[in-house]
């Protein structure tokens, strides 16, 4: 009966790879960092380089942006997608300067008082550059009405005609009143006119001793005996008769006065219109646009109404005649507005309010203010999408304005308290092209959640964050750095400094054969390098200045990393960097602090025994596992089933944990280390602690690329350096990440001296062989692993666990099983 040989290696020291091993050799030092040769630059410093203001390597984004800027079709607004610092704003400004696109005819916008509906100010649209002249002309008219119209109506010709009308009316009144007064006089009575409030009343008084006395006084004189009974009775009889005549006289006088007013009113109105006509006709002829004549006609009607009937009180009624210039074009060309504070009021505009008597709020057409959408009318409005989204109501009004192409300065939902008089200015038809700057996540969210977004932003200008790593890109870097140094008056950069910045661009890109286009970070390093050059009395920035700037930038944000190293040194955090241990491996993780990423080793452990629970992810059970980490763990289970293809279920209880980790964990870059750790616990083969591993896996055992590979390697290197470099320590990374390596100079030096190593693996088999020193094993044509291999032992151990798990249920024990050969045939499906 054939038995599978048990492999129980010595856990005290790592094994050397067995004969026929597939374990890879360490990467050569030249492969762990790409270097930019400064001699490739045909200059000594950036002082000799022509500055470049544009961008390179963004041909697709450039073509889309050019189309979006030039087309005026509806809905062709542009979403410029890419990370900040990639030159999006620079490209937009340069393109607009180059293209000088033809824009719709620019229009000036004014609001004037609506005499028919005072709460709905009227919009007047004039040719570009004419609004201020229109306002001056109307202001002159309003000033004349306020200051000089009354005097003009008192001119000699007008006064003479007015006096003649007044004299004729007086003569008519005298002709009616004189006979009545004569009859009263003959009867010993008198007609006396007394003011009673705002009107005058005519009364009949008796005459005593040649003087008219009030009826009450006449009655008192009668009571005193100074007026005889006959005189008193005669007065009463005569008064009753004359009062009937007085009523008729008053009626006729009122008729005459009304006729006088009817004659005087049209005269004054005609004169007022004649006087104002010279202003109105000139303004209407100078500004022959719709709405101007109607406004001026209503203005004149209002002036005449006030002049003839005297309405309006003491306030400056000419305020309603003034013009509010909302938008006046000052220059030729398309307006380009960059709105940095896109609030709802900032986009639409607003209506100011002032506190009037009794605390009431007041608004009128002169208090209307325009926003950036109006200022960009006929041109371009550039917005950061995240700024718009955080402002209440701003996104909603922006999309509605673009959809309707009408600007409502006071949107319908902008309700006012009942005690506040609200204005509803006439909407403005606008034609504006909006360019939104944002990232991919925001773009996809808007595309999914806002049904209007894909119809209004049909042009996507997608900026890449990397460009090819070639000579043209090197020269482009030099041109951009030359522009920065000249614009900011920095000392020029030596070509060694340019080479150092190109290398840092390659490290930031994190991809083989690529350089970053996030020039904000490159420019910051150039600025700090210039600061260090000045402090070191250099007349130009050297490569050492740039490298020191990189170290300083890292140092300012590496407090978490330093704390980890301190706690590792004093034993608070347990990490082994030597020896070998069963069911324990050094994974690699990262911490993000702004733009700086720091790596550190994370101790992963696994335990296993017979059972039916399967593999337990302790992080997930503790609700500390993110979605991607959980997915990676499920892939681990799939890979385990692929590697251990048995005829029986995998019957064991296993658990995997990140030790001394108390925060959330996400990402799948530790799944390769986890499968190796689990197989170590299953086979009891110890894992080298002087190696750390990063890499994702698939269900077939391939090791897949991960991010931040440079920082992860450096984090383990620093941990080993704090203890002591033994010459055997190193890191295992996916082979697909090998081209991404841009390790620190001290790590490269350690690799050159053989004190540290970097291994690149394609499969879990290679990683297991490096970590255990035992051949992993590959299934033969019979589906079996060779003896004395890791996976052969893993299959045997899984079989043993199944027997142990099945025994308590009454299943046959090991002594009652078929011969191992038959069992093996079942395992392989024969």
């Amino acid at each position: 009966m054939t038995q599978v040989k048990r492999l129980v290696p010595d856990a005290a020291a790592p094994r050397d790879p067995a004969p026929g091993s597939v374990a890879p050799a360490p990467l050569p030092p030249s492969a762990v960092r790409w270097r930019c040769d400064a001699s490739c630059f045909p200059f000594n410093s950036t002082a000799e380089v022509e500055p470049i203001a544009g961008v390179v390597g963004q041909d697709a984004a450039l073509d889309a942006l050019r189309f979006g800027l030039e087309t005026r079709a509806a809905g062709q607004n542009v979403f410029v997608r890419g990370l900040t610092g990639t030159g999006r704003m620079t490209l937009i400004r340069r393109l607009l300067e180059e293209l000088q696109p033809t824009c719709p005819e620019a229009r000036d916008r004014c609001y004037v008082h609506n005499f028919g509906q005072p709460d709905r100010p009227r919009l007047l649209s004039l040719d570009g550059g004419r609004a201020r002249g229109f306002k001056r002309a109307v202001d002159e008219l309003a000033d004349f009405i306020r200051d000089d119209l009354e005097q003009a109506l008192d001119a000699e010709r007008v006064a003479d005609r007015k006096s003649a009308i007044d004299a004729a009316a007086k003569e008519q009144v005298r002709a009616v009143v004189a006979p009545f007064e004569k009859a009263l006089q003959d009867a010993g009575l008198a007609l006396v006119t007394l003011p009673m409030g705002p009107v005058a009343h005519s009364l009949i008084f008796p005459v005593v001793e040649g003087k008219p006395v009030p009826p009450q006084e006449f009655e008192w004189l009668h009571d005193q005996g100074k007026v005889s009974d006959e005189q008193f009775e005669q007065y009463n009889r005569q008064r009753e008769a004359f009062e009937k005549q007085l009523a008729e006289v008053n009626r006729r006088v009122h008729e005459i006065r009304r006729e006088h007013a009817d004659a005087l009113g049209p005269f004054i109105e005609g004169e007022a219109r004649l006087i104002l006509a010279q202003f109105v006709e000139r303004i209407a002829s100078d500004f022959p646009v719709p709405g101007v004549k109607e406004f001026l006609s209503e203005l004149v009607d209002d002036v005449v109404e006030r002049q003839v009937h005297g309405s309006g009180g003491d306030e400056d009624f000419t305020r309603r005649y003034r013009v509010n210039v909302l938008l006046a074009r000052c220059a030729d060309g398309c307006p380009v507005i960059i709105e940095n504070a896109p609030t709802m009021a900032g986009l639409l505009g607003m209506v100011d309010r002032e506190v009037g008597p009794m605390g009431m709020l007041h608004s009128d057409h002169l208090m209307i203010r325009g926003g950036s959408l109006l200022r960009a009318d006929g041109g371009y409005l550039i917005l950061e999408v995240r700024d718009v989204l955080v402002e209440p109501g701003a996104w909603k009004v922006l999309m509605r304005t673009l959809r309707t192409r009408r600007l409502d300065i006071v949107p319908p939902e902008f309700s006012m308290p009942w005690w506040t008089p609200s204005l509803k200015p006439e909407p403005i038809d606008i034609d504006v092209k909006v360019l939104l700057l944002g990232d991919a996540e925001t773009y996809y969210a808007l595309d999914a959640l806002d049904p209007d977004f894909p119809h209004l932003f049909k042009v996507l200008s997608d900026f890449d964050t990397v460009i090819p790593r070639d000579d043209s890109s090197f020269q482009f870097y030099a041109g951009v750095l030359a522009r920065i140094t000249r614009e900011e008056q920095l000392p020029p950069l030596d070509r060694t400094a340019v080479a150092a910045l190109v290398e840092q661009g390659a490290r930031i890109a994190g991809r083989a054969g690529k350089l970053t286009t996030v020039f904000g970070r490159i420019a910051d390093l150039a600025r700090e390098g210039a600061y260090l050059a000045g402090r070191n009395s250099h007349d130009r920035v050297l490569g050492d200045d740039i490298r020191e700037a990189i170290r300083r930038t890292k140092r300012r944000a590496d407090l978490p990393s330093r704390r980890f190293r301190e706690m590792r040194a004093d034993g608070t955090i347990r990490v082994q960097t030597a020896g070998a241990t069963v069911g324990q491996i050094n994974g690699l993780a990262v911490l993000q602090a702004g733009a700086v990423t720091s790596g550190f080793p994370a101790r992963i452990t696994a335990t296993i025994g017979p059972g039916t629970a399967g593999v337990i992810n302790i992080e997930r059970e503790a609700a500390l596992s993110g979605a991607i980490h959980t997915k990676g763990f499920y892939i681990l289970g799939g890979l385990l089933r692929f590697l251990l293809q048995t005829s029986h279920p995998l019957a064991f209880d296993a658990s995997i944990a990140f030790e001394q980790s108390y925060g959330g964990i996400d990402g799948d870059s530790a799944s390769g280390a986890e499968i190796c750790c689990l197989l170590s616990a299953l086979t009891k083969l110890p894992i080298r602690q002087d190696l750390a591993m990063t890499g994702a896996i698939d269900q077939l055992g391939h090791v897949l690329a991960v991010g931040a590979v440079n920082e992860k390697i450096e984090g383990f290197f620093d941990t080993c350096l704090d203890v002591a470099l033994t010459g055997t320590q190193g890191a295992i990374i996916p082979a697909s990440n090998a081209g991404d390596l841009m390790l620190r100079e001290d790590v490269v030096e350690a690799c050159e001296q053989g004190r540290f190593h970097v291994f690149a693996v394609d499969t879990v088999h290679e990683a297991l062989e490096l970590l255990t020193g035992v051949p992993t094993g590959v299934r033969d044509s019979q589906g079996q692993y060779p003896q004395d291999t890791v996976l052969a032992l893993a299959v045997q151990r899984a079989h043993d666990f199944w027997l142990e798990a099945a025994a308590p249920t009454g299943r046959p024990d090991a002594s009652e099983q078929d011969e191992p050969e038959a069992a093996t045939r079942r395992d392989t499906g024969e």
Side-chain angles (χ1 to χ4, degrees), residues 509-511 588-590 667-673 693-697 703-713 732-738 740-741:
R511 289 173 55 188
L588 293 173
V590 291
D668 60 356
S669 63
S671 56
M693 180 179 178
T694 184
I697 55 172
V703 180
L704 309 177
V706 295
V709 66
N710 291 300
E711 291 80 1
K712 291 174 179 177
I713 296 173
I732 301 173
I733 66 170
S736 51
N737 280 125
D740 304 337
L741 292 179

Side-chain angles (χ1 to χ4, degrees), residues 8 35 74 80 178 281 383-384 410 420 520 530 533 636 720 813 817:
V8 184
R35 298 187 184 279
V80 183
E281 291 175 2
L383 302 168
E384 283 279 358
V410 179
T420 305
L636 180 151
C720 295
D813 58 24
Q817 297 302 306

Side-chain angles (χ1 to χ4, degrees), residues 314-325:
D314 297 330
E315 79 279 0
D316 181 12
F317 64 91
T318 61
R319 178 180 174 87
R320 64 172 58 194
Y321 306 148
R322 310 288 175 172
V323 176
N324 178 9
V325 178

Side-chain angles (χ1 to χ4, degrees), residues 17 183 287 294 509 671 703 731 734 740 778 782 809:
F287 303 95
E294 291 80 356
S671 56
V703 180
D740 304 337
V778 178
Q782 302 299 317
T809 66

Side-chain angles (χ1 to χ4, degrees), residues 490-751:
L490 302 176
L493 278 73
D494 185 87
R495 61 181 177 179
T496 60
V498 177
L501 287 170
V502 170
E503 290 184 15
Q504 186 64 13
R507 178 180 170 102
I508 294 172
R511 289 173 55 188
K514 300 293 183 180
L515 296 177
T516 184
T517 60
V518 184
F519 288 105
R521 294 177 64 180
I522 301 299
D524 287 340
L525 291 173
R527 296 181 184 105
E528 186 160 354
Y531 162 77
L532 294 173
R535 197 175 68 174
N536 296 328
S537 301
H538 298 161
D539 60 352
R540 62 177 63 176
V541 182
L542 304 179
D544 289 340
D545 296 322
I546 296 299
R547 285 184 281 273
E548 178 61 20
I550 295 171
R551 285 190 289 270
R552 285 162 56 93
T553 301
K554 176 79 172 180
R555 177 69 177 175
R556 286 194 293 268
D558 72 346
L559 179 59
S561 177
R562 281 184 278 129
R563 282 186 175 174
F564 173 85
R565 295 173 65 176
E566 291 171 1
M567 289 188 286
R568 163 65 186 84
D570 63 20
T572 302
I573 294 179
R574 180 182 176 86
V575 175
Q576 289 181 239
T577 59
T581 303
V582 173
Q584 179 174 291
I585 191 172
N586 287 320
L588 293 173
V590 291
L591 283 176
Q592 192 79 27
V596 177
T597 302
S598 300
F600 62 93
R603 187 164 60 97
I604 304 172
T605 61
T607 60
I608 194 167
T612 58
V615 184
I616 297 174
N617 179 1
I618 292 180
E619 312 302 328
R620 180 172 178 271
E621 297 301 317
L624 296 176
S625 176
I628 298 176
H629 180 259
T630 299
K631 178 184 177 182
F633 196 85
Y634 284 126
I635 292 174
L636 180 151
L639 175 57
L640 191 63
R641 289 189 294 272
F642 174 77
L643 295 176
L644 308 181
Q645 295 182 7
T646 64
S647 61
H648 54 77
L650 297 178
F652 52 76
D653 291 349
S655 61
I656 299 179
F658 281 73
E659 302 293 351
Q660 294 184 285
S661 172
Y662 308 105
I665 294 176
D666 204 0
D668 60 356
S669 63
S671 56
E674 288 173 330
I675 187 65
C676 293
C677 187
L678 181 62
L679 289 171
S680 169
L682 177 63
T683 61
K684 296 193 180 300
L685 293 173
I687 286 179
R688 292 175 59 179
Q689 301 300 297
D690 56 355
L691 294 179
M693 180 179 178
T694 184
I697 55 172
D698 64 15
Q699 294 189 102
L700 302 179
H702 302 105
V703 180
L704 309 177
V706 295
V709 66
N710 291 300
E711 291 80 1
K712 291 174 179 177
I713 296 173
E714 292 165 358
F716 186 64
F717 173 83
D718 291 337
T719 299
C720 295
L721 188 65
D722 291 339
V723 179
L725 290 177
T726 63
T728 64
Q729 294 150 334
I732 301 173
I733 66 170
S736 51
N737 280 125
D740 304 337
L741 292 179
M742 285 293 297
L743 296 177
R744 289 190 330 236
E745 294 289 355
D746 57 337
V747 184
V748 176
E749 183 180 354
C751 292

Side-chain angles (χ1 to χ4, degrees), residues 270-316:
E271 290 297 324
R273 290 183 183 278
L274 186 62
I275 294 170
L276 295 176
Q278 55 183 325
F279 291 93
V280 171
E281 291 175 2
R282 178 172 56 84
I283 295 173
S285 62
D286 289 346
F287 303 95
V289 296
V292 169
K293 284 188 176 181
E294 291 80 356
F295 165 67
L296 294 174
S297 176
E298 292 179 4
L299 184 153
V300 170
D301 290 343
D302 189 75
V303 172
V304 168
E305 179 69 19
R306 291 175 176 276
Q307 193 65 38
V308 172
H309 300 287
S311 59
D314 297 330
E315 79 279 0
D316 181 12

